[in-house]
Each structure stands twice: as C-alpha cells, then as structure tokens.
Amino acid sequence: MLESLFVSINLAKDLTAKCRGRALQLTDDEIQNIMQDLENVIGNICDHLGSIPASALGSNAYADVAIRSPLRRGYLDVDMSTNAVSDRPNRRSVYDSDMPRLVDFLQGMYHESHESGGQTFNSLPEVTEYVEPLYDGFFCPLTNEVMTDPVTTESGVTYDRRAIEEHFEKSADSSEPVCCPVTKMPLQSKAVVSNASLKSVIAEWRRRNEAMRIRIARTALSLSTTEAMVLEAIHELKLLAKLRGENKKLMHKIGVTKFLSRLLDNHNSQIRCDALELLCLLIEDEEGKDIIGKTKAIARTIKLLSSNTTDERHAAISFLLELSESQIMLESIGSTAGSILILTTMKINDSDDPVAAEKSRAVLKNLEKCSKNIKYMAESGYLEPLLSHLVEGPEEVQMEMVSYLSELVLEQEITIDVTKSTSEILINMVRSCNTVVHKAALNVLVQLSSHHPNSMVLVEAGAVLVMVEELFIRKVDDEPVSCKAKAAAILANIVESGIDPDTTVVNKEGHVFSSKYCIYNLVHMLKCFMPDDLNLSIIRLLLALTAFAKPLDVVVSVVRENHRGHAIVELMNSPMQALSIAATRLLITLSAHIGHTIAERLCKTQGQPGRLVKCISHTGHVTERHAALVMLLSRLPHRNISLNLGLVQEGAVPVILNGIEEMQNGATRTGRYAVPYMEGLVGSLVRLTTTLYNPTVLKAAMDHSLASVLTELLTGAAGSSEVQRLAAVGLENLSYQSIKLSQLLPQEDPRPKKKTIFKRLMDSRVHSNKIPQHHTCPVHRGVCSTVATFCLLEAGAVEGLLGCLENDNSRVVEAALGALCTLLDDRVNVERGVSALAKLDAVRRVLGALRRHRENVVWHKCFCLVEKFLIHGNDRCVREVTGDRTLPTALVSAFHKGDAGAKQAAEGILTRLHKMPDCSATYLSVEI
C-alpha cells in the first residue's frame, strides 16, 4: 500500500512539473489530458487511503472521516454557495481545499463529544488553527499569546510592545541592570524597534484566521447538529463581529445575516435571543439592514416582543430599535402586522417592563419620521404623533394629517381628547377653500364633538360660530350639501353634551341657540327634498334643544306659527331608519304641547294613518322604529276623535292586539325596545277607550272585547308597571260606559190582563220552551257582560285592580283606585258595590295603599273609597275602617298638608268619625 502511494505521489509530481515547465506551450487538449491524469492519480491515492483500517487511526475521528470521505467536495450551504464560489482567490487557498473536510470534521467532532460526554464546542479554535496553522514566532515570550504590535530589542528577541514595556517598568525599581527576559543578556538601552514585517504577517494571519472562524461557524449553523453547536457558533460570530467591520461584511457576504433570520423561528428561546443579539451587531451598517429588509426577520421579531422571557423581549426591542435608525426600514417596520400595536402596548404598560417601555418609546419616535407610520399608530390607538404633527407640522404635513384623521374617524369610532390648539387648527381648515381639506376637517370635528368632554373646548375655540356660518350663510357651488349636514351634526353634538343654549352665542350679532333667529332657520331648513343626512342632523339639533325649557317653547312656537309640522310628519316616512326615528321622537316631544296639531296633520296627510298601522306591526324582532311609532300614538291626545277613528278604520285594533298577544306569549318580549313597544301598544289601545261615544269606536271595542284584554294586562305578565297603569286607566274609561250600556230588565205590570184563547195558546207554547234567564248586575242594576257593557265585575277585573294597590308605583295605585271608584259612583248601586268590594278584601287593601303612599291624588281617591265604606258598608266593613290604627294619622296628614281635594275628602271622613264639627247639622233655637 505504501509503495503504491509512493508511486502515485511521484506520478503526481511529474505531472505538476510538466505543467510548471511548459505551461505557456500547452494546448487545450494537452491541459485536459493532464487534468484527467491528475484526477486518476488522486483517485488511486484515495483508494489506497480508504483501505487503511480504522483501528490504525486510534480515536482521531477527524482523520477517519476525512479518509472515508475524501471525495466529498464542494459542500456549501444553500445560502452561502453563490458568494463563496464567486470570490475565491486565484492562489491555492486553505478555504477551497479544506472546507469540504471541515463539514466532516464538525460532524465527527460532535458525534465523538456526545458519546464521551465532553463539552460540545471547545475544539472550535483548534479547528481554525488546523486550517490556519500558527507559528511559534507569532507568540510573545512573555505572555505566550499572539502578538499585536511586535517589537525587537537590542538582544534580537521580539516581544509584544505592551508586554516588554511592562517588563521594563517593573525592572526600573530594581538596582540590577535591565536584562532581556529570554537571553538574560543585559540591555544597554530600553529602546525597541517595531518589527513591521512580522506585524504584517500576524495581521494577515489574524484576518485569515477570523475569516476561517466565520466560515466554520457558518458551517456549524448550517449543520445544526445540536442546540449547543448552534449556540457556540453564534457566540463565536458575536465575538468576531465585535472585532472589526470587515468581519461583518464577510458575514453578510457568505449569508450569515440572512441565515440568522431563520433562527428567530427556532423553538429554543436562548437560540432566538442570541440570534437577535448577533443581528443587532450585524445591522449597524446599511448593508446589514438592507439584507434584513429582504427577509422575514421583522415579522418574526414582532412576535418575540410578546415573549414571556424578559431577555428575549429586550433583545427583540433592541433589534427593532437598531433597525428603526435607518430611514429605509421605517415603512417595513410600521407596515408589519401588529408591530405598532404591540409597541404602543409596551409603551403604555411601562410599569410591567420599564426597559422595554423606554426602548419601544424610542422605536415609535423613530417611526414617526415616516408619515404612513403615523397613520398606523393612529389606527392602533396611539394618536399623539398625529395630533402633534397636525398642530406643529408645516402646512403640507397638517393637510396630510387631517386627511389621515378623517379616514380614521370614518372607518371606526374613536375617542379623542382634543386640545384648544388642535381645535383651532381644524376650525381654520373648515374655512379653507380647499374642498378636500374642508371636508376632511368637518369629518374630524364630527367625531371630536361626539365625545362630550370636547364640547367646551370646541366652543371656546369658536366652533359654534363657524358651524352656524357653514349651515346658514356659506354657499359654495362646488361644495356638496353634505358639508352642511356635518356642520349641523357638530352643533347637535355640542348641544347634546349639555352646554347652555341660552348663553352660547351663534353669530356675531349676539344671537344664541335658544333665539328665534336660530330655531326659525333650523325649522325652515327641514324639507323632504333635502338630503336625508341634512334633515337628520337638523332634527337631532332640534331634539337636543327641546331638552331645555326655553328653546322648547321657541320650537313649539315656530312649528305652530309657521305650520311646519307637516314636514316633520312627512319625514317619518323616510326610508332612512335613523331619520324616521328622529322625526318620530321629535313629534313625541312636541305632542305634549301641540298634540292636536300633530294629530290633525297625521290625519290630513294622505295615507298616513294606514302607513302608521302598517309600520307598527312587526314580525319577530322589535326595532327602535316600532317602539317610537307606537309611543307616538300613545302620547298624542287620547280624545282626538279624528285620529282614533282613522286608526280604527285602518284596522289598527287587530294589529295592536296581535302585537300584545305576541309580547305576552314571550316570543318577542326580550330586546332593548320590547318594553317601550309594549307600553306603546297598550297606550294606543287605551286611547280608543276615551272616545267610545263614537259608534264606530264603540263597536270596535265590543268586537274585540277590550275589557277582557285590559283585565289580562293587570297581572303584570308583561313586566312593566306602566302597562298595569295604562290597563287600569283603560278599565276606568270602559267602566264609566258600563253605567250607560247596562240594560234594565222590563218591569212586569202588576194588574192582571184578560187573556183571550189565542193569547193563552201562545203563552203555552212560549212556556213549553226554555225561558232565557237574564242575570242582573247588582251594581249597574241591569244586564251586564264583559263584551257588551265592559262590566268590571263580569270581566273579573276587580281582583286585578285590588292587586295593583300593592304596587310600589304610586301612579299604578292611583289608576287602580280610579277604576275601583267607578263601582261606587253615585249613578250605580253603591251599597251593592261596597258589598262586592268588601267580599274581595278591598277595605284592607285600600287602607294598605293609604299607609304606603302619601301622594295627594292617592289620598283623595283612597279617602273617597273609605268614606263610601263607612256610609254604605256593613258593620264588619265599618269596624275594619275604624279599627285601622294608621287611618287617623293619614287623615291628619292630609288635612294638614294635602291639596284642596285631599283635604276635603279627609275632612269628610273625620266628620263621619266625629272628629270634626258637622257644619251641615241643623240646630234648634232654645230660649233659656
């Protein structure tokens, strides 16, 4: 084997000598043949080396792997293949010849270290020294380290300058002459001479050594055999990156920087953290930042900002801070999903991690240099940079910022606490002739004014005057009417915030919001042909003004005097839900003052009652519009016969009853507007009970048995006290009609009549059939029924009314007492009425209501019932009244503090109880 190797080596020498001697005369074919021969020789050598047994190599795993795999050439990682091949030097280099074997060495070294349990990467410097061997002349005799600045003494020995100078300083205190540390020869002079040639050789070796260490570490990263191997490689690269800038350039060149971005997805947090620290060093130059910008490193780093590990968070934010120093990276960082949101969160939560908060603040400050990032910050809830540039920036920046802010407020609802300086800038932009800026500023002010704490700031900045001018005076042909709608919306927001309309000036003439000038112009702008947005904004403004007493009076006066109610009624039919609801709410507010005017307008508007009936019906879900419309019907004057008759003729009663039934069944009882909808339905039904003198309305009430419906509502199943109150009011109205509708039985003539044979035959036929039995109502003295006469006793409503007396709501108690009083009216049989109530324990419940409530109306009605009980009740009833311990106190309180009605009723009872003089008694004159 050795002889064969010797022959192959000699053959290789001959071939190389041939090339060296005749290099210029060789043709291409001859060079090709020599290369083929050399390849064959090398192949033979490899075969001979491969036949060496592994036992002959001992434990040198590197030699074993190198011999077994001598033909594995050209191994380079995907990321570094192009750069490494393109820049190879022309001379023979250890990089080219040994890199393939380096991969095998690293694999073998780690395999061996894991088997033996040794440290994983302590041999890395030895690998470099093997590739770039050290010479003894590189070492300083004093420090035994490679010299940095070699100098030669007069003894001819070379030392590192720092080491020999320290030796001379130590020897200066000694009385003995200075000697050469190596030769021990006395030195006449401490002068040294720089060894420039050795210094350049060492410097060149250092550069080659560091370059080889970088390549070895890069190869180790590519192999990633173990986590320890990767960590040691990163640690080595960090040391080399700190030594000189050329090392960073080489790392960029061979793909280290690009490869590190992949490690940010590694499952090991320590690897991710170390990779970030190394990247911070590599991106200090623009070349490194440019490489990182083409990778996914930024997105991966953003994810690491939320790490549970403090070191990893700090490394990530430090990396971003370094990146943000470059102008070319600002947009990439800001546009990365979640970057600014996470950074602003870290900045706000500074107590959790002060270091990260401070660095995130610095990153955000750098990102502000890109205008798009300011928009991203605003979208993430960090508005300070945008508002700051809006106030302090040049005109171009201000226009850009207001455009961003306008887009933002149109996309989402945000809350902004505005300052006076910001308000003034925006208000000045409203006066701008630039249509885009004008519209954008209005959009922003609409959103700002919707946050009520901003209202006073806007008022002080002059927003009201500018908006009123925009609404009433400013006319620019190319500006859309929507700008006026926005101005009206801003004014509505300001008034809704609670400012005083009586003192807020709206123009230079000194008019205020509550002045007739302002309200007249607002009301007259309401027109059906105007854009819905403008009408909606004006109605909102009028609604806000009607919340105050003085402006309400002015609005009522203007609407009444100028007959402007028809416009508001017509706007109820708008297909725009918000406008329809707002118009209805305004009519509800005005109905307490000009209800008959509104009702007449509803009736005179063609098809309006029918549309109302159609709109109040619902299928499944109750909306705000449903609730508003039925509430309007219930609030308009109940005794308006035109409206009531129109509703009946349009079939409103079955629609209302159907809605009530659905609510009682629970199908649509839930929801925000379910309760007001139910109350509106019952109120709309009760309004019909006030005009039963009309035959059409009376027939509808009978056909649908309103007494039974209202009696069911007394139980409170709908869950609203207002429903119970309305039901009691409706029963009171119906009960008063019972007195008129109850039919008296025909009285028989006591004188006997002479009957003919024909009459007798007819009577026998009549008596042969079943004679109908007529039930006489004890209270109304006639034939009563729930349907025909609305009798409370027949409908079973008395029990429900007595149950309402225990309600905590005094208005419910008042309504129930009113309905019960109809059974003790002077036109009915009071004694029978008292008896019927007493059987249902009415005395105790009335006295209980008197005990719980102190309102004048409740007092008055309770005292009326109590007086009836005393006058027409039996002994038991009288004992219950006189035996109640709280009655005297209530009577005295009412007599002292009650109004005229309560006081008079209390006085009547006190007289009956002989606690007051009877002024109606007759006294006889007696002479003494």
Side-chain angles (χ1 to χ4, degrees), residues 72 198 226 281 288 420 428 454 481 573 621 648 726 792 882:
R72 291 176 59 187
L198 180 59
T226 64
L281 298 173
K420 186 176 181 180
N428 288 333
N454 292 331
V481 183
N573 304 316
H621 181 64
V648 171
L726 290 170
L792 298 186
T882 57

Side-chain angles (χ1 to χ4, degrees), residues 12-68:
K13 287 182 179 180
D14 293 338
L15 290 171
T16 55
K18 183 186 296 185
C19 290
R20 187 182 299 111
R22 302 174 53 211
L24 298 178
Q25 291 80 20
L26 292 175
T27 62
D28 293 341
D29 292 335
E30 290 176 338
I31 292 175
Q32 190 70 25
N33 292 332
I34 292 173
M35 290 175 62
Q36 185 65 44
D37 292 337
L38 281 172
E39 288 181 1
N40 294 333
V41 171
I42 293 172
N44 292 333
I45 294 174
C46 291
D47 292 338
H48 294 314
L49 290 175
S51 63
I52 299 175
S55 59
L57 301 174
S59 61
N60 193 339
Y62 163 68
D64 182 30
V65 175
I67 292 174
R68 298 297 178 194

Side-chain angles (χ1 to χ4, degrees), residues 755-798:
K755 297 182 179 180
T756 64
I757 296 174
F758 179 75
K759 182 65 174 176
R760 291 177 183 177
L761 290 173
M762 292 298 297
D763 290 344
S764 63
R765 288 184 180 181
V766 171
H767 287 289
S768 64
N769 298 327
K770 185 178 180 181
I771 300 174
Q773 297 295 324
H774 295 283
H775 175 67
T776 303
C777 177
V779 176
H780 299 113
R781 304 188 184 96
V783 178
C784 282
S785 68
T786 304
V787 176
T789 65
F790 316 117
C791 179
L792 298 186
L793 294 176
E794 293 293 328
V798 177

Side-chain angles (χ1 to χ4, degrees), residues 173-432:
D173 299 334
S174 176
S175 57
E176 297 180 2
V178 179
C179 298
C180 176
V182 176
T183 63
K184 305 301 181 183
M185 182 182 71
L187 298 176
Q188 300 299 324
S189 172
K190 296 180 181 181
V192 293
V193 178
S194 177
N195 192 336
S197 58
L198 180 59
K199 183 176 181 180
S200 67
V201 171
I202 292 176
E204 177 64 22
W205 175 86
R206 285 183 183 278
R207 285 191 292 271
R208 292 201 308 270
N209 179 269
E210 291 171 4
M212 181 52 61
R213 288 167 64 186
I214 292 171
R215 292 178 183 274
I216 292 172
R218 175 63 179 87
T219 305
L221 290 178
S222 300
L223 292 176
S224 301
T225 305
T226 64
E227 293 178 354
M229 181 179 185
V230 176
L231 290 171
E232 290 293 341
I234 294 176
H235 178 70
E236 182 74 3
L237 290 170
K238 283 196 288 187
L239 294 176
L240 294 170
K242 293 176 182 178
L243 287 176
R244 65 182 80 250
E246 293 180 359
N247 292 340
K248 297 179 184 179
K249 293 181 180 179
L250 180 58
M251 292 180 195
H252 298 327
K253 186 177 181 181
I254 66 175
V256 172
T257 308
K258 185 178 180 180
F259 187 82
L260 286 172
S261 67
R262 302 180 188 176
L263 294 180
L264 299 182
D265 279 337
N266 195 283
H267 67 278
N268 188 308
S269 62
Q270 187 60 47
I271 291 178
R272 298 194 300 265
C273 187
D274 288 359
L276 284 169
E277 292 177 358
L278 178 55
L279 281 172
C280 282
L281 298 173
L282 295 179
I283 62 172
E284 291 177 352
D285 53 35
E286 291 299 320
E287 183 180 359
K289 292 183 175 69
D290 184 60
I291 294 173
I292 287 298
K294 298 175 182 178
T295 67
K296 297 181 179 179
I298 296 176
R300 292 165 180 164
T301 305
I302 297 301
K303 292 193 297 183
L304 298 181
L305 290 176
S306 302
S307 172
N308 295 327
T309 307
T310 303
D311 292 341
E312 192 169 12
R313 285 200 307 271
H314 289 179
I317 192 63
S318 297
F319 175 61
L320 283 181
L321 179 58
E322 186 63 39
L323 278 178
S324 66
E325 298 293 341
S326 173
Q327 187 69 27
I328 61 175
M329 300 301 298
L330 296 179
E331 187 172 350
S332 298
I333 297 174
S335 60
T336 302
S339 60
I340 292 180
L341 180 60
I342 296 176
L343 287 169
T344 52
T345 303
M346 294 176 69
K347 171 184 173 293
I348 294 171
N349 301 326
D350 52 357
S351 59
D352 297 340
D353 192 342
V355 175
E358 186 61 31
K359 290 187 177 181
S360 64
R361 189 176 291 106
V363 174
L364 291 170
K365 190 66 178 177
N366 290 336
L367 294 179
E368 289 181 25
K369 299 173 184 176
C370 176
S371 60
K372 289 186 178 179
N373 289 338
I374 297 177
K375 181 182 179 182
Y376 298 147
M377 292 178 190
E379 291 173 350
S380 299
Y382 183 39
L383 294 166
E384 286 81 356
L386 192 151
L387 297 177
S388 175
H389 284 74
L390 178 63
V391 175
E392 302 173 0
E395 184 177 356
E396 296 79 8
V397 174
Q398 289 179 337
M399 294 173 64
E400 188 177 17
M401 292 301 106
V402 77
S403 176
Y404 285 159
L405 194 53
S406 174
E407 294 176 12
L408 181 62
V409 298
L410 291 176
E411 292 174 359
Q412 57 181 319
E413 291 186 6
I414 57 175
T415 300
I416 306 174
D417 293 318
V418 69
T419 61
K420 186 176 181 180
S421 56
T422 305
S423 303
E424 291 174 348
I425 293 293
L426 293 170
I427 292 169
N428 288 333
M429 288 182 176
V430 173
R431 291 174 169 168
S432 172

Side-chain angles (χ1 to χ4, degrees), residues 600 637-646 691 693-694 697:
E600 293 300 326
H638 285 189
R639 298 184 182 278
N640 189 287
I641 185 60
S642 300
L643 180 58
N644 290 355
L645 190 59
T691 55
Y693 56 83
N694 183 278
V697 179

Side-chain angles (χ1 to χ4, degrees), residues 556-571:
V556 170
S557 173
V558 171
V559 172
R560 180 188 289 119
E561 291 174 3
N562 297 276
H563 306 287
R564 303 300 298 178
H566 67 278
I568 305 174
V569 170
E570 291 175 358
L571 291 176

